[in-house]
Amino acid sequence: MIVSIHQPNFFPWMGFFDKLNKSDNFVFLTSSVRSKNDKYLTRCSILSHSKSIYISIPLGIKQIPINELLMPANNQWKLKALNVITESYRKENYYDEVFPFIEELLLSEYEYFYEYSINIIKSIKNKLNIHTEIYTDSDFNEDFGKSNQRNISICKFVGGNIYLSGDGARSYNDNELYKKNLVKLIYQNYSIPEYSQSSCEFVPGLSIIDAFFNCGFRATENLLKTNDSK
C-alpha cells in the first residue's frame, strides 16, 4: 500500500494532486513547524498577462506548528485574490464553469489555516475523481518522531509498506532507515504535461487553478491521469 505525506498547501500545483492520485493513503502533515523559507504553504502562483504571480494568505512570518496557524480576521485579502483571478482568467474558455467553484472555496470560512487549505484540496480531489483515502496527522494523537522516522511511523500507522516521496527529498531521505523498517522508498519524479495557456511559452509549476481555467475540469483530470501508474 502506497502512502504519501505532505503539508496542506494553498491551492497546490498539479504535481501535488499527482502524488495524491498515486497514493492509496495520503496524510496531511500539520504538526510540523512552519518553515522560515515556506514558499507554497500559504501562497500559490497563477498566470496573469503571461507572467507568473503569487496569491498569498497574509499569515505573517510566525514559525509555529501549521495546525496552530489562525486564518486572518479580515477577509479583504480574499476579495482582492478573487479580483486578481477574475482579471487573469475572465477571457479563458472555461471561466464560467470554473470561477464559481474557485470562488466558493476561496471564500469558505475556517478558523485555522490547515482546515481551510485541506477543505480546498479535498474539494479539488473530488472534482478530479481521485479516490485516495485522506488522513490528518493531528487526528491520530500520536508522537511519530521527526524527519525520516516520522514518515516511516506514519506510513506504518496507516497500513502502508511503500512511501512515495517527492523528488526533492532525495538529499535527506535515509535509505537505510527505510530498508531497516521494511518500508520501500519510491520517488514521484513528476513532470507536468503541457497544455494551452494564454502565454507564448508554457509556464510550468502554477496552481491547478491555471489548468482548470485553461482546460476545464474534465480535461485537467485527463491530463493528471495520463501517466497514472498506480
Side-chain angles (χ1 to χ4, degrees):
M1 182 176 288
I2 301 174
V3 176
S4 58
I5 303 168
H6 209 289
Q7 295 177 351
N9 293 1
F10 176 56
F11 278 110
W13 73 307
M14 282 182 66
F16 184 103
F17 293 97
D18 173 76
K19 180 186 277 191
L20 183 56
N21 182 53
K22 289 178 177 174
S23 305
D24 297 296
N25 290 335
F26 183 97
V27 181
F28 282 110
L29 185 64
T30 67
S31 57
S32 61
V33 175
R34 180 188 184 189
S35 169
K36 180 180 179 181
N37 299 316
D38 142 37
K39 289 184 178 181
Y40 294 106
L41 182 72
T42 61
R43 69 178 184 175
C44 67
S45 56
I46 64 169
L47 198 62
S48 182
H49 304 292
S50 299
K51 293 182 179 180
S52 174
I53 64 169
Y54 286 110
I55 294 175
S56 303
I57 306 176
L59 291 178
I61 56 173
K62 289 182 180 179
Q63 294 174 50
I64 60 176
I66 293 168
N67 56 24
E68 295 179 14
L69 283 170
L70 290 167
M71 289 293 289
N74 188 326
N75 282 331
Q76 195 64 31
W77 72 272
K78 293 181 179 180
L79 301 179
K80 290 181 180 179
L82 283 174
N83 287 336
V84 171
I85 291 170
T86 297
E87 180 61 27
S88 301
Y89 294 108
R90 60 188 171 85
K91 294 182 180 179
E92 302 304 331
N93 291 335
Y94 295 94
Y95 178 82
D96 290 341
E97 173 188 347
V98 173
F99 184 78
F101 175 72
I102 300 299
E103 180 182 38
E104 181 179 358
L105 294 181
L106 210 149
L107 292 179
S108 61
E109 293 283 347
Y110 287 89
E111 182 178 5
Y112 289 95
F113 160 76
Y114 83 97
E115 296 173 322
Y116 177 75
S117 55
I118 287 176
N119 174 66
I120 290 173
I121 292 167
K122 283 183 174 179
S123 298
I124 294 174
K125 165 187 174 288
N126 293 337
K127 185 66 75 173
L128 295 170
N129 294 305
I130 295 173
H131 305 295
T132 304
E133 288 288 332
I134 285 185
Y135 303 89
T136 303
D137 64 339
S138 54
D139 292 340
F140 299 144
N141 196 27
E142 293 278 339
D143 182 2
F144 293 112
K146 296 181 179 180
S147 191
N148 287 267
Q149 186 58 59
R150 176 192 59 206
N151 293 341
I152 291 168
S153 298
I154 291 176
C155 188
K156 288 186 170 183
F157 191 86
V158 297
N161 60 344
I162 302 172
Y163 177 61
L164 175 60
S165 172
D167 203 52
R170 287 181 185 271
S171 61
Y172 56 80
N173 277 339
D174 187 337
N175 296 326
E176 292 305 314
L177 188 61
Y178 281 91
K179 288 179 182 178
K180 181 180 177 181
N181 283 274
L182 304 179
V183 174
K184 183 178 180 181
L185 178 61
I186 62 174
Y187 289 93
Q188 181 184 17
N189 195 27
Y190 178 70
S191 179
I192 188 170
E194 293 190 12
Y195 54 85
S196 177
Q197 290 177 331
S198 58
S199 58
C200 296
E201 295 184 1
F202 181 73
V203 180
L206 301 176
S207 165
I208 198 165
I209 289 174
D210 186 75
F212 279 158
F213 278 114
N214 282 288
C215 306
F217 295 125
R218 183 64 62 84
T220 300
E221 178 185 348
N222 291 337
L223 274 173
L224 186 70
K225 297 179 179 179
T226 297
N227 298 313
D228 185 3
S229 59
K230 182 177 163 186

